[in-house]
Amino acid sequence: MKTALSLQRKRGARALLAGTLAAAARMASMVCIASVAMPGTAHAGLAWAAGASQVASAAASATGSATSRASAPAAVAAKLPESVRIAAVARSAPAGKTVFAGASAQVAQDRWLETELGKLGVRLEWVPVTTNAVAAQVNEGFASKSIDFAHYGDLPSIIANASGLQTRLVLPGGSLNNTYLVVPPNSTARSIRDLKGKRIALHRGRPWEYPFARLLQANGLKLSDVKILNLNPQAGAAALATGGADAFFTLSDAFLLEDKKVGKIIWASKKAPEDWKMRAELWGDGAFLQRYPQVAQLVVSAYLREHHKAAADAGRESYIKSEALGGQSEDVVRRELEGDGTQWKDRWSPLFTPAVRAHYAAEAEYAKQAGLIARPLPVDALFAPQFVKQGLVQLQLQDYWTR
């Protein structure tokens, strides 16, 4: 009898959803699904080049499917997806448990999203991706339609869209990570200027390449003024430790190199302009957003809830503990946050501000100049702000980040 009652409730929820299709269709029409038919040409030296070629070919085959989904009449939207698949960086926690990083960890632990989707008969599936290959794994996932959302970096997202994919930024903020320039302990280099002509390990096409380019530019240097070793973070750290690189540009793992006495930090982005930080944010498949706007709204609202919790004063300690439970060293997390110039509340702001647009416009221009994309990318087509706007209203947080 309980089973029958449960089925009846699910059918009732679906009937209610069907009754609100007109509003959903109006909301869906606001989603930017402008076609970006610009076949990308990956730089020959990119470590993710193999993945990029798969993205380009898969994007070509997926375009027809995406187009048909995007042009489907509103009545088709009545059918809900069987599942919502979200890709997020995962770490191995104690006892072999997989734990996600950042806001995704909080969304997974809270289970609000899982519960709300379950009321509609929709499963929530988390898709773990590795730190060393986030860009390739996520872009391939979007291209093959095996994921619907992903919390990952800005530059890989620009490269994906310039390669023919159509993903949209649905929730900014939450991951303004610092970047670091590390040299061997016995190095005499004190700044990036001292490394002109030297070997610097940098994983091309990853979100921290743009901050590195800004650092070079601010010191009167170009990418061609140094010898780039295109290595993932693990290989880059090894190259620095064994003398294969004169410097290494990376994220907070720089502190681990200092602790092991195989590196010393000579520059950090903590006091640099916020635009120099690495951004990792929530992106959604464009066709999915248009076909299932109410489901997409639940996903964005779930992340908004966690951004709000994290932005509170007490949220800082909760965030640190959560990252530590996920396999990060608590000491490293604290050192990453110590002395950071960005206010804690602002770090979690989900607002589509002029600064966010300016960041993506400048980064897209850099990607073109650096040969990471073949043609200019119109960045305004990348944003789908209506889900944040509606979520803030539903959660009564319209003024929270503007006060």
Side-chain angles (χ1 to χ4, degrees):
M1 183 174 180
K2 289 183 178 180
T3 301
L5 181 59
S6 176
L7 288 173
Q8 184 177 1
R9 286 176 176 171
K10 286 187 177 181
R11 289 168 182 163
R14 289 178 180 272
L16 178 61
L17 179 62
T20 59
L21 280 177
R26 287 193 298 271
M27 184 178 183
S29 66
M30 298 169 62
V31 183
C32 298
I33 307 294
S35 177
V36 187
M38 291 185 281
T41 303
H43 190 281
L46 295 181
W48 67 280
S53 64
Q54 294 179 34
V55 169
S57 61
S61 63
T63 300
S65 174
T67 302
S68 63
R69 289 173 66 179
S71 60
V76 177
K79 184 177 180 181
L80 294 173
E82 293 183 359
S83 64
V84 173
R85 302 155 300 178
I86 306 175
V89 173
R91 306 188 188 101
S92 295
K97 183 180 179 181
T98 298
V99 178
F100 296 97
S104 295
Q106 306 302 320
V107 173
Q109 293 170 15
D110 183 71
R111 303 191 74 171
W112 179 88
L113 178 58
E114 181 181 358
T115 300
E116 293 302 309
L117 289 173
K119 292 176 182 178
L120 300 176
V122 178
R123 298 190 312 274
L124 173 59
E125 297 180 12
W126 290 98
V127 181
V129 293
T130 62
T131 302
N132 284 343
V134 178
Q137 291 176 350
V138 169
N139 284 349
E140 289 169 16
F142 275 131
S144 64
K145 298 297 181 182
S146 59
I147 62 173
D148 307 305
F149 294 89
H151 198 276
Y152 81 133
D154 45 13
L155 185 54
S157 301
I158 287 172
I159 294 171
N161 279 271
S163 298
L165 295 184
Q166 294 183 24
T167 62
R168 300 293 176 259
L169 176 61
V170 293
L171 182 79
S175 184
L176 298 176
N177 294 333
N178 286 298
T179 51
Y180 302 86
L181 181 61
V182 190
V183 297
N186 60 351
S187 174
T188 59
R190 295 185 177 182
S191 75
I192 188 68
R193 291 187 296 274
D194 298 326
L195 294 169
K196 185 175 182 179
K198 301 295 184 179
R199 303 162 300 173
I200 301 180
L202 170 74
H203 203 187
R204 298 294 311 278
R206 299 296 292 275
W208 51 93
E209 178 175 342
Y210 178 63
F212 178 71
R214 295 298 300 270
L215 177 61
L216 286 173
Q217 183 182 37
N219 286 273
L221 300 173
K222 305 184 298 295
L223 207 61
S224 58
D225 288 326
V226 295
K227 298 176 181 177
I228 297 296
L229 304 178
N230 186 19
L231 302 171
N232 68 37
Q234 184 177 3
L240 183 79
T242 59
D246 300 302
F248 176 37
F249 197 79
T250 189
L251 302 178
S252 61
D253 51 318
F255 293 113
L256 297 176
L257 297 176
E258 282 199 325
D259 293 343
K260 295 176 182 177
K261 302 189 184 308
V262 296
K264 63 178 178 181
I265 298 171
I266 62 172
W267 179 86
S269 65
K270 291 186 177 184
K271 301 301 182 182
E274 189 172 291
D275 188 50
W276 292 26
K277 295 183 186 294
M278 189 215 84
R279 300 187 72 99
E281 303 171 300
L282 186 63
W283 290 75
D285 174 74
F288 186 96
L289 300 180
Q290 188 176 39
R291 188 172 186 182
Y292 307 115
Q294 288 190 324
V295 176
Q297 186 63 64
L298 285 176
V299 174
V300 174
S301 293
Y303 275 83
L304 276 175
R305 284 164 49 91
E306 300 310 321
H307 277 223
H308 178 232
K309 293 177 187 176
D313 291 338
R316 184 185 180 99
E317 282 301 310
S318 296
Y319 170 81
I320 292 173
K321 297 297 184 183
S322 175
E323 290 293 281
L325 287 174
Q328 279 278 62
S329 165
E330 183 174 328
D331 179 62
V332 167
V333 179
R334 292 188 182 280
R335 280 189 281 176
E336 156 74 7
L337 298 176
E338 183 181 1
D340 187 276
T342 302
Q343 294 296 314
W344 180 251
K345 181 179 178 180
D346 294 340
R347 176 191 181 108
W348 297 94
S349 171
L351 304 181
F352 285 80
T353 64
V356 172
R357 187 202 177 280
H359 172 83
Y360 277 93
E363 193 162 47
E365 177 61 26
Y366 165 75
K368 173 64 175 64
Q369 294 175 354
L372 299 175
I373 62 177
R375 301 177 185 177
L377 181 68
V379 296
D380 288 332
L382 299 179
F383 307 139
Q386 66 272 22
F387 298 105
V388 164
K389 183 177 180 180
Q390 180 64 25
L392 291 175
V393 171
Q394 291 174 344
L395 299 172
Q396 299 183 349
L397 296 174
Q398 303 97 307
D399 302 321
Y400 181 77
W401 275 280
T402 59
R403 289 197 297 264

